[in-house]
């Protein structure tokens, strides 16, 4: 995002209208910021009112330059019609940014009703509504909004994200949910339509492939899921060949691992991970992902070496998850002494992290593993 | 005037990089906040992690 979206000319015209801040959530120096503004999706974009030190907008996940341009216009008060629907949208954004999700959902609905079908912000508002419903755990409402709203949205990024998010909500629902099957059936064609659109971010497009593969699997269509996973993989390989930099190439490594697993062939991801590891020698993610894949392949000695390389490079909250991966490899190796030593280190590292940067679920899991072997 | 001086000092001291005309402070919430207050501008934050 930082390399491709922020330099875009559409954002440059906002350069003198905002103060711009980049926060690495792994950096312990950012604990004070994260205590005020918790982040659990990457990337997350925030617009903050400095006088009240309160967020006006919180946008989860990547965004195109055009999307960010519209968001900045909205929050800077230069968007069309700041009264009526525009004002209600701003109120919804504030509630969403402060984690008052039910209030945000109600306000987004109100803004949509006020704005009507021709409202220029409708696509963005529907996108925010669906994401707020998903964040609130209201999966049925999320899928229902996407089913109802996506067909009448202009075909573009918001349409794709609404359809994709709705499908993810349906996939995440319990299989016994009575609404799930019809939601999957209604949303799948919309996501297929979205895949054909030009101008989507590569990671959004990868997410659409993942959703379609998951939808086929959720309906018991293993052959269909495999066919889609192969298309997903071909897309990812095409992006790898096209990538203009090592960072751009590595940006889809996570999707490569997920796609390779969906194909039942985790080894497919290894060449890309090895390339990323060579190109980005300071980055902990490629060896961590390689360790995960090697563990899945049962190549435990190699997985152990890779996870130790990842641990040596990791420095922030995500290091806890790498410790958890290391522990799982050592468990499979039945190396109890190394497991105990690693869990000791992991628990000490968790304690050393500032509270806003400590994932308590992962820290608890590490403590529980340590207690179990003592 | 006081605001202008504050802005100038903050701009000199803050670690930042430019991307296409956008001047970005890196990992320095306090400085960015001070600059936003001094300039009376909103803050735009990109929260990211190595991925």
């Amino acid at each position: 995002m930082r390399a491709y979206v922020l330099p875009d000319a559409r954002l440059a015209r906002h350069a003198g209208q905002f103060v711009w801040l980049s926060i690495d959530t792994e950096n312990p120096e950012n604990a004070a910021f994260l205590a005020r503004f918790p982040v659990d999706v990457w990337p997350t974009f925030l617009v903050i009112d400095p006088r009240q030190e309160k967020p006006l907008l919180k946008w989860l996940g990547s965004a195109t330059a055009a999307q960010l341009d519209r968001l900045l216009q909205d929050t800077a008060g230069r968007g069309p019609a700041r009264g009526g629907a525009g004002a209600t949208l701003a109120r919804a954004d504030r509630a969403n940014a402060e984690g008052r999700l039910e209030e945000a959902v109600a306000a987004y609905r109100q803004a949509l009703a006020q704005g009507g079908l021709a409202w220029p912000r409708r696509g963005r508002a529907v996108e925010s509504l669906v994401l707020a419903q998903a964040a609130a755990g209201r999966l049925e409402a999320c899928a229902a909004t996407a089913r109802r709203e996506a067909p009448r949205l202009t075909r573009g990024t918001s349409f794709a994200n609404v359809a994709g998010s709705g499908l993810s909500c349906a996939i995440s629902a319990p299989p016994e949910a009575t609404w799930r099957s019809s939601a999957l059936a209604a949303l799948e064609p919309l996501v297929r339509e979205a895949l054909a659109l030009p101008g989507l971010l590569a990671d959004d497009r990868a997410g659409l492939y993942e959703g379609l593969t998951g939808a086929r699997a959720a309906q018991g269509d293993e052959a269909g899921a495999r066919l889609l996973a192969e298309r997903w993989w071909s897309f990812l390989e095409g992006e790898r060949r096209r990538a203009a930099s090592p960072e751009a190439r590595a940006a889809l490594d996570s999707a490569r691992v997920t796609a390779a697993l969906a194909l039942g062939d985790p080894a497919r991801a290894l060449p890309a991970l090895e390339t990323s590891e060579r190109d980005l020698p300071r980055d902990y993610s490629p060896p961590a992902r390689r360790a995960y894949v090697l563990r899945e392949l049962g190549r435990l000695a190699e997985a152990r070496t890779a996870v130790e390389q990842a641990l040596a490079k990791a420095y922030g909250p995500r290091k806890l998850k790498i410790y958890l991966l290391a522990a799982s490899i050592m468990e499979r190796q039945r190396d109890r002494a190394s497991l105990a030593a690693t869990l000791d280190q992991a628990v000490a590292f968790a304690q050393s992290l500032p509270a806003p940067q400590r994932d308590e679920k992962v820290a608890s899991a590490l403590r529980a593993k340590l207690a179990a072997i003592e | 005037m006081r605001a202008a001086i504050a802005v100038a000092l903050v701009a000199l001291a803050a670690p930042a990089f430019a991307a296409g005309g956008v001047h970005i402070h890196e990992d320095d919430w306090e400085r960015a906040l001070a600059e936003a207050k001094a300039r009376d501008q909103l803050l735009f934050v990109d929260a990211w992690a190595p991925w």
Side-chain angles (χ1 to χ4, degrees), chain A residues 7-8 57 113 153 180 240 312:
Chain A
D8 191 281
L57 177 94
L153 290 179
R180 186 178 186 241
R240 186 152 80 105

Side-chain angles (χ1 to χ4, degrees), chain A:
Chain A
M1 285 297 296
R2 295 197 307 159
Y4 303 103
V5 176
L6 295 184
D8 191 281
R10 282 166 290 196
L11 299 185
R13 67 191 170 105
H14 299 289
Q17 297 163 341
F18 289 83
V19 172
W20 305 74
L21 172 64
S22 168
I23 290 284
D24 173 2
T25 61
E26 294 289 289
N27 185 342
E29 290 178 10
N30 291 324
F33 174 86
L34 293 166
R36 298 289 306 276
F37 307 101
V39 169
D40 50 18
V41 172
W42 290 267
T44 288
F45 301 108
L46 291 149
V47 175
I48 295 169
D49 176 350
R51 283 167 300 187
Q52 299 189 37
E53 297 186 30
K54 286 192 170 178
L56 300 177
L57 177 94
K58 186 174 188 179
W59 185 262
L60 306 182
S62 52
T64 63
Q67 280 178 298
L68 278 183
D69 181 35
R70 281 194 297 272
L71 292 171
L72 294 177
Q73 282 183 47
D74 284 350
T75 49
R78 289 181 302 280
R82 290 302 295 167
T88 310
L89 178 62
R91 180 161 55 81
D93 284 338
R94 279 197 300 275
N96 190 41
E98 292 179 5
R100 292 178 277 118
L101 296 174
E102 294 299 335
E103 190 180 329
V105 165
Y108 283 127
R109 285 187 183 284
Q110 188 187 348
L112 288 168
Q114 286 174 304
L117 293 177
W119 185 31
R121 293 299 188 260
R122 188 169 189 88
R124 204 282 269 176
V126 173
E127 206 175 343
S128 295
L129 170 60
V130 167
L131 290 173
Q133 288 171 321
R138 293 175 55 178
L139 299 177
E140 184 176 3
C142 157
T145 301
R147 284 178 73 171
R148 184 179 63 250
E149 297 290 339
R152 52 195 187 191
L153 290 179
T154 303
R155 284 354 187 206
T157 311
S158 291
F159 164 76
N161 288 342
V162 167
S165 299
L167 188 63
S168 293
C169 286
I171 293 168
S172 303
E176 62 274 16
T178 52
W179 56 271
R180 186 178 186 241
S181 180
S182 67
L184 288 170
L187 288 162
E188 266 193 75
L190 294 166
V191 174
R192 286 178 189 273
E193 187 184 346
L195 258 189
L197 295 173
L200 302 184
L201 288 172
D203 61 346
D204 284 347
R205 201 178 293 282
L208 296 178
Y209 275 116
E210 181 175 3
L212 285 174
T213 303
R216 288 288 89 211
Q219 294 176 97
D221 178 9
E222 292 305 323
R226 186 174 179 82
L227 202 62
L228 274 158
E230 285 289 2
R231 285 179 56 200
W232 181 13
W233 182 261
S234 297
F235 163 73
L236 294 169
E237 282 300 273
E239 289 298 308
R240 186 152 80 105
R241 286 190 294 272
R242 265 193 298 277
S245 69
E247 288 81 6
R249 206 163 29 245
L252 292 174
D253 278 352
S254 173
R256 289 185 184 99
V257 171
T258 313
L261 289 169
L263 285 161
D265 183 11
R268 277 198 202 196
L270 287 174
L273 299 177
E274 286 160 2
T275 302
S276 296
E277 204 165 338
R278 265 196 312 275
D279 291 345
L280 304 167
R282 295 170 60 190
D283 191 338
Y284 60 80
S285 295
R289 291 188 179 117
R290 200 162 56 81
Y292 178 79
V293 168
L294 289 166
R295 186 197 70 180
E296 294 305 295
L297 290 167
R299 292 160 57 178
L300 297 178
E302 293 166 88
R304 174 85 168 257
T305 304
V307 83
E308 284 167 357
Q309 288 165 348
L311 281 171
K313 294 174 185 180
Y315 56 92
R318 290 190 183 188
K319 190 169 183 175
L320 291 183
K321 289 189 176 169
I322 303 177
Y323 273 122
L324 211 49
L325 174 62
S328 74
I329 293 166
M330 290 164 188
E331 280 170 349
R332 292 183 196 198
Q333 288 181 308
R334 301 182 194 282
D335 183 350
R336 195 176 178 285
S338 298
L339 176 62
T342 299
L343 289 171
D344 268 333
Q345 284 173 28
V347 169
F349 180 74
Q351 282 305 113
S352 76
L353 286 170
Q357 290 177 302
R358 187 166 52 235
D359 184 331
E360 275 304 333
K361 276 188 189 166
V362 182
S364 296
L366 288 162
R367 283 195 296 270
K369 275 184 181 291
L370 182 59
I373 62 167
E374 279 176 346

Side-chain angles (χ1 to χ4, degrees), chain B residues 10-38:
Chain B
V10 165
L12 279 174
F17 69 97
V22 176
H23 188 74
I24 303 173
H25 295 271
E26 291 217 69
D27 294 326
D28 200 336
W29 157 243
E30 293 297 337
R31 278 191 198 284
L33 179 65
E35 182 175 335
K37 283 179 176 170

